[in-house]
Amino acid sequence: MHLLLGHSWDSCCAGVLARLESRGLPARIVPAPLTPPARLVWRLDAAGLASRLDWDDQEVELAGVLVRGTGWLDPAGWDPADHTYMQAEMLAATLAWLTALPCPIVNRPSAALWYRGRASLMTWRTLLRRHGLPVPEQLVTNDPAEARAFGDRLAALGIAGAVYTPLTGEAGYLVATDADWQGLAALQARAPVCLGEPHGAPRPACIIGGQIVWDCDAPPDARALEPRLSRLAADAGLDFLEVAVAPLRRGLAVVRVDSMPMLEHFAPPAQNRILDHLTALLAPAAAPHAALEAVP
Amino acid sequence: MILVCGGLADGVTELVCARLADSGYPYRLLDLAHYPAGYRVVWHWTDAGPAGVIAGSDWTLDLDAITGVYARFLGPEGRLPPEGDPEVTAALQFESDAGLMALLEDLRCPVVNRIGGGMSNNSKPYQALLLNRAGLNVPATLVTSDPAAARAFQGEHGEVIYKSLSGTRSIVRRLGPDQLTRLAFLRHGPAQFQAFVPGRNVRVHTVGDRVFATCIETEAVDYRYAHLDGLDVAMKPATLPAAVEAACLRAARDLDLLFAGIDLKETPDGDYFCFEVNPCPGFIYYERQTRQPISAALADLLNTRRPPAGLRSAVP
């Protein structure tokens, strides 16, 4: 059986499930594989590692796992403090269990990936730089004058405003008017803010194993980044990675990296190619073929 | 110049600062009990990495001048009481810490420790797998939600202990008759059991390429809480077999930790078993008992500017 660790509303899980089932391969979308009535026995000793998971008193024999979540323990019926403890325990057990499974796992988690979730672009900068991938300038400061000077410098180059992106969030906010800058200064009194240069329309790409799928035909300068993007994914130990490149004043730069790609960022033809490659990674014996293009 | 990020009310951070002063190594303290209040930060990232300054009330530190960083982040209890809405304050504090962590991840000098390196401590069985790969023996370990499997494990090993799976601090306890009556609760979620390893505890601190081993003599199952059971603890410096010492250094490097606290046990037969690696060790307890120069080694490391070879850099 293939386990799709995530939710049925995740189009990635749903698309892979449809493809696996169309090939007659059993698969299930499960948001939290270790929660009751699951029965886990994971054992590490001098003889090595052995693990067994039973659902409904039947051993689950896994042929592959797609990791799209970390498992969430339903808080219903739990005292809040107990729930927090049990959630941490369940996360810890799930990570250890997944790490040691002998089947294909996409993405096979590391502790850093598991516990840090969807890291901000800032967190990826070291790796991006290591592989020669251009990134936008960013400024973190709690000094309103420095923030304003950053915006003024961009304005002098003909760029209206700067983008404020919380490091602990995903949204970006254009800071352009005096009122915006005053609001930002009020925020800076409590915490440093992260500012970046506004960029043009992002062009997403997905790296799946050795394949790169662009949302639509990528221009040559974007294609030229492909070897470096592949090395980035390999260095991070990820088989499934989304990046977005966008034009800045100095040329193309990587403006987003996400270890949890979102199919919604891609048009249907690209979605299908991504799902085909992903399914092939999870079930290596069967390569993607044209008939699968019709599967949603 | 060394940057220390922590709270002075924390004894470990206080000791690090004192040792840096004793060693004649200049440092600046970013007091996380107050940060960002009272500090000015300007960190500008370009393709070349971060540049900029951190400034306190009467000092300014250029990022290029930092030779090493010691960071010990604080929980809410170590911060000043929040002003205004506690939820908003917590969110802003989280954002402030995230910026600082991002900076520390991207500095080229030694950082004790980068955040990514400590993540394995949140899952003890996951960490056990990594320690095993590094060449350290780990006790027979069972993670299970199956009461029958827990009983069988105890039947096989006789004495068994249980402890938390996650980074949540827990007291290690023997699995006794009282606990056996509660095994049915395992069906709510898995717990971790380990074969009890007889012998003496050995705490190892790796500081870059240096190793400090301390043996701990006590009758307590968990020597950290011996006082709760009215038991004594005695410590003295120890020497590890070369292979164990090498494996400890390998484990610290594999986990990307410049400074690590490694819990071992030496059996009466002379075998060593590893229980866990602490990425933010409170080494003051061991240094005070044995006078081993752990903090001095740490000070030297922070003053070198260059990390020991073999350490990976940040991977998200």
Side-chain angles (χ1 to χ4, degrees):
Chain A
M1 142 165 338
H2 283 82
L3 166 66
L4 312 176
L5 174 48
H7 294 272
S8 54
W9 42 257
D10 175 6
S11 54
C12 213
C13 283
V16 170
L17 179 73
R19 278 160 172 74
L20 290 169
E21 286 182 342
S22 74
R23 295 219 294 255
L25 297 171
R28 265 174 77 174
I29 298 175
V30 178
L34 303 189
T35 51
R39 195 180 291 263
L40 172 71
V41 179
W42 182 100
R43 187 177 163 136
L44 177 65
D45 59 22
L49 178 75
S51 80
R52 175 185 167 126
L53 180 67
D54 286 25
W55 288 336
D56 304 322
D57 293 325
Q58 291 283 316
E59 181 173 3
V60 183
E61 293 188 9
L62 291 171
V65 182
L66 175 65
V67 181
R68 297 286 297 171
T70 54
W72 176 247
L73 184 65
D74 186 349
W78 287 95
D79 170 84
D82 288 346
H83 177 260
T84 301
Y85 176 77
M86 282 307 296
Q87 178 63 45
E89 295 286 281
M90 201 68 88
L91 274 178
T94 307
L95 172 62
W97 171 68
L98 278 175
T99 300
L101 286 177
C103 59
I105 299 178
V106 179
N107 285 310
R108 191 174 288 274
S110 64
L113 187 68
W114 190 249
Y115 287 106
R116 296 174 89 176
R118 308 174 90 157
S120 67
L121 180 68
M122 185 74 81
T123 313
W124 289 92
R125 290 195 77 109
T126 309
L127 266 185
L128 290 164
R129 198 168 56 242
R130 184 186 300 163
H131 294 288
L133 287 159
V135 277
E137 278 186 50
Q138 286 179 293
L139 176 74
V140 171
T141 186
N142 60 353
D143 182 337
E146 291 286 347
R148 196 64 189 254
F150 184 78
D152 289 346
R153 197 161 52 81
L154 291 174
L157 296 166
I159 300 163
V163 177
Y164 159 56
T165 309
L167 293 170
T168 51
E170 292 173 24
Y173 307 89
L174 184 68
V175 184
T177 67
D178 281 343
D180 293 340
W181 286 108
Q182 285 164 14
L184 193 76
L187 188 56
Q188 285 180 288
R190 303 286 302 276
V193 299
C194 178
L195 292 174
E197 175 187 342
H199 55 72
R203 189 180 295 270
C206 217
I207 303 146
I208 317 114
Q211 309 291 327
I212 296 186
V213 175
W214 293 91
D215 181 35
C216 46
D217 282 343
D221 53 349
R223 295 252 179 223
L225 298 175
E226 286 188 356
R228 285 178 265 175
L229 292 173
S230 293
R231 287 197 294 273
L232 168 78
D235 200 4
L238 299 171
D239 290 316
F240 190 31
L241 182 70
E242 180 182 336
V243 298
V245 299
L248 284 102
R249 65 193 149 84
R250 294 179 301 130
L252 276 187
V254 176
V255 296
R256 185 175 69 239
V257 183
D258 194 345
S259 60
M260 198 67 74
M262 299 293 291
L263 277 190
E264 291 74 10
H265 293 159
F266 297 82
Q271 288 185 7
N272 282 326
R273 288 201 300 278
I274 292 167
L275 289 171
D276 288 346
H277 289 308
L278 197 49
T279 307
L281 268 185
L282 288 164
H289 55 82
L292 291 173
E293 293 287 321
V295 180
Chain B
M1 182 70 76
I2 293 161
L3 176 66
V4 177
C5 305
L8 265 186
D10 169 41
V12 178
T13 300
E14 182 189 19
L15 174 61
V16 170
C17 291
R19 190 62 64 225
L20 291 172
D22 287 350
S23 303
Y25 299 149
Y27 73 92
R28 298 296 187 201
L29 174 69
L30 187 73
D31 189 344
L32 295 180
H34 300 268
Y35 177 77
Y39 295 92
R40 174 176 167 267
V41 299
V42 185
W43 305 329
H44 189 192
W45 270 267
T46 62
D47 286 340
V53 297
I54 302 172
S57 58
D58 57 354
W59 54 267
T60 298
L61 175 57
D62 195 293
L63 298 185
D64 286 342
I66 299 175
T67 59
V69 179
Y70 177 79
R72 195 168 155 89
F73 282 89
L74 303 174
E77 69 285 353
R79 315 271 189 182
L80 285 184
E83 291 175 16
D85 185 336
E87 280 191 27
V88 172
T89 301
L92 290 168
Q93 196 67 66
F94 190 36
E95 180 73 9
S96 298
D97 285 354
L100 183 57
M101 288 172 189
L103 175 72
L104 300 188
E105 292 286 312
D106 215 8
L107 289 176
R108 293 200 174 118
C109 63
V111 176
V112 175
N113 282 312
R114 296 184 207 274
I115 296 299
M119 290 292 170
S120 73
N121 202 43
N122 289 316
S123 173
K124 299 296 193 298
Y126 170 84
Q127 192 185 64
L129 286 170
L130 301 184
L131 296 173
N132 202 235
R133 283 177 199 162
L136 287 164
N137 294 324
V138 296
T141 300
L142 175 72
V143 175
T144 191
S145 49
D146 182 347
R151 272 192 210 93
F153 188 74
Q154 194 198 31
E156 184 182 341
H157 292 284
E159 276 194 272
V160 167
I161 59 93
Y162 63 98
K163 60 184 184 181
S164 66
L165 283 152
S166 65
T168 307
R169 200 176 172 102
S170 67
I171 301 177
V172 181
R173 294 289 191 199
R174 277 195 174 91
L175 184 64
D178 288 351
Q179 289 78 27
L180 285 170
T181 63
R182 302 207 307 266
L183 282 182
F185 290 121
L186 278 178
R187 299 298 296 121
H188 293 297
Q192 178 175 226
F193 302 89
Q194 280 185 335
F196 176 74
V197 177
R200 63 176 186 171
N201 289 286
V202 179
R203 170 66 167 229
V204 177
H205 289 98
T206 60
V207 187
D209 293 329
R210 299 181 67 182
V211 175
F212 299 91
T214 308
C215 77
I216 300 114
E217 306 281 2
T218 183
E219 293 298 315
V221 175
D222 188 337
Y223 68 85
R224 299 170 302 172
Y225 301 98
H227 61 283
L228 297 180
D229 296 327
L231 297 169
D232 292 329
V233 174
M235 296 187 184
K236 61 182 180 186
T239 303
L240 295 173
V244 176
E245 188 172 302
C248 287
L249 287 170
R250 199 160 44 240
R253 283 204 175 141
D254 287 356
L255 297 176
D256 209 17
L257 297 172
L258 275 176
F259 182 38
I262 303 176
D263 290 325
L264 304 179
K265 211 160 186 188
E266 181 189 4
T267 69
D269 294 335
D271 294 324
Y272 284 80
F273 287 86
C274 180
F275 293 87
E276 69 175 279
V277 175
N278 186 330
C280 194
F283 63 95
I284 191 167
Y285 178 50
Y286 307 89
E287 178 158 320
R288 282 188 176 155
Q289 297 270 340
T290 64
R291 298 187 180 279
Q292 288 171 296
I294 302 168
S295 59
L298 182 58
D300 290 343
L301 174 71
L302 295 172
N303 200 47
T304 57
R305 191 179 270 274
R306 181 175 295 208
L311 277 170
R312 297 168 303 177
S313 56
V315 175

